[in-house]
Amino acid sequence: MVFTDLASVAAVPGLIAAGMPGQSAGEESTATPLVHRLTFEPSNPLAQVGLRSGDLINLRELSLPERYRFFTRWWWLGERADLPVARGNSVRMIALRPVRYEFPLEWWLATIGQYWVLIFAGIVSWRRSDLASVRVLALCLLCWEIGLMFQSQNSITPFPLLDAVFNSVFGFFYYGGIALLATYTTLFSGAGLLWRRLVVWLSYAAAAAASIQSLLLVVGAWTALWDVLGGWLSATAVADAIQALPGLLSMASVVLTIATCSPAERARVTWASLPMAIFFGTEGVTNGALSPTVPYVISHGAELVVNYMIFLAPLGLVYTVLNRRLLDVGFAVNRAMVYSVVSLVVVGIFIIFEWALSEWLGGASHAANLAISGGFALLLGLSIRAIHLRVDRTLDSLFFRKRHEDEKAIREFAREAGYITDPRVVIERAADVLRDHADPVTVEFALNNGSDHYGAVSENDPAIIALRARHHIVDLHDVRTELQGEFAFPMVARGRLVGALVLGAKRSGEPYAPDESDAILQLAHGVGTTLDVLTSKDGTGAGELLRSLQELTSAVHAGFRMIADRLPIQDYPQFGTDASERS
């Protein structure tokens, strides 16, 4: 619960079933607006306080805060819960006693799931904020989570008006987050297809309708300007459909994207969005069954499904991070280990010092002990940076030695390339170094052949234009290009693009680490400069000799393809790694 002391959340036994004795009471509209009929089983605890199944409740007799509390069926512990019951020609007030609510297991599981969603959104925002797809996905999860927190059962305070304000904006965040999942699918190939665009726009319209519906429910419950039961607001098939459509349409948008996007993007879309899409669709269908007008067996079963789904859906996201390796998990593990060890070292040193101080200076005055302790604490605080650096280097050498050795080998060849006198040897050695230390599926050198092409790709290809204009690494998933691979690294000399070094995904399925990408970029620059020097040394220009290298670069690319066909490759999705990103 947000803004909530869990020990102060209260409910009336019999009105709400989960975590309470007895079954929940149903509520039906009547021909008279704001006069509802309560229905419940004879064993319901409400029968013990003088209520009868079929009693009419005149909600006009309640104050604004009391009417809102009855609408949500949640109270702050200690609040009154008087119910105006119409019998015959009179209205009788029956006092109900809200008691402390015992949250069931499924509620706690759902809470854990919500925290998992927040953590996942935070991690992907931190590690891949440069990618539009990551930003949209993180915003989708954050909006949905904020909306869920603003629901009536999740934001309870001693102030009903404050709760109503929070609840009134719930739908705009909640359904807006669901619609953003459809927006996420527009960032992949095939987004221009008519039926995909139609589903996306329908999901926007459905999210807007459901948000307005949730706002009118709260406003009607607070002001009594209209009855919240019936029509398209609640307790009808139309109202249930309005709640269900945003999730179902977003799920349909994800499924259509998986079916029509390029094979290189399919795994990424599936694992990054399908778990939440299935959850949104399931939750939309079950939300209508949570209404008080639905029989207890159905509503309680739907509540269990929703809570367990909130817990299970983030498991797909966690599986994506850990097993499908969307993120550089090694970095997160490294940071966690560093901060843990630093904390242990600092706390251990302080404990040892305090013990030694009590042993050696036990007879000293209190002022002397305080001065020495303060001085040591200050010295330890100033030493934390040095301790952090030492721990960081030690753990790096223990657990990430291979990564650093590979990066060092790539950088060393980038410097050595300038001393090689044969362009063919430069290409062959560069391919060998990348194969041994970067582990790509494919390596391709798309060189400028002097005839308006880089390899087999036109100089007007979007990826080539981006490389020529910015001289930065290009994620090939983000542009429409004929280059085949994960990333293109610019081979630059004298301010012009000599060629593009194109790497495929890693055989291990791991993403390229930021420092590793930077080392490969350095290698590409070194090879580009060397080729430029060697091809212009005899004064004949680069074009003729570079054209003669195409046969060699094609053979290198074909060799990597043969290796890729023979070895099992993990089809892991990649969010991508930009060289500008730093650990």
Side-chain angles (χ1 to χ4, degrees), residues 345-394:
V345 169
V346 171
V347 172
I349 291 175
F350 199 81
I351 291 174
I352 293 173
F353 173 77
E354 287 294 325
W355 172 81
L357 187 66
S358 63
E359 290 290 326
W360 298 338
L361 301 177
S365 66
H366 176 71
N369 276 321
L370 187 61
I372 295 173
S373 296
F376 181 76
L378 180 61
L379 178 63
L380 189 60
L382 295 174
S383 304
I384 286 180
R385 179 174 177 81
I387 294 172
H388 183 279
L389 290 174
R390 175 62 63 182
V391 170
D392 197 355
R393 291 171 183 168
T394 302

Side-chain angles (χ1 to χ4, degrees), residues 430-441:
D432 291 340
V433 168
L434 291 170
R435 180 189 61 216
D436 296 337
H437 300 287
D439 194 34
V441 174

Side-chain angles (χ1 to χ4, degrees), residues 427 431 435 440-446 484 502 507 549-567:
I427 296 294
R435 180 189 61 216
V441 174
T442 58
V443 173
E444 179 182 3
F445 293 89
Q484 300 298 315
V502 183
R507 272 190 288 268
L549 290 175
Q550 291 306 311
E551 182 179 349
L552 174 61
T553 57
S554 298
V556 169
H557 184 57
F560 272 89
R561 280 293 181 192
M562 290 176 62
I563 295 173
D565 291 340
R566 294 175 182 175
L567 295 178

Side-chain angles (χ1 to χ4, degrees), residues 80-98:
R80 296 183 57 180
D82 296 337
L83 205 59
V85 177
R87 290 179 183 170
N89 296 324
S90 62
V91 176
R92 174 186 175 190
M93 299 299 293
I94 295 182
L96 304 180
R97 182 173 173 267

Side-chain angles (χ1 to χ4, degrees), residues 273-287:
S273 59
L274 191 59
M276 294 306 297
I278 294 174
F279 167 67
F280 288 157
T282 304
E283 187 181 33
V285 172
T286 56
N287 269 342

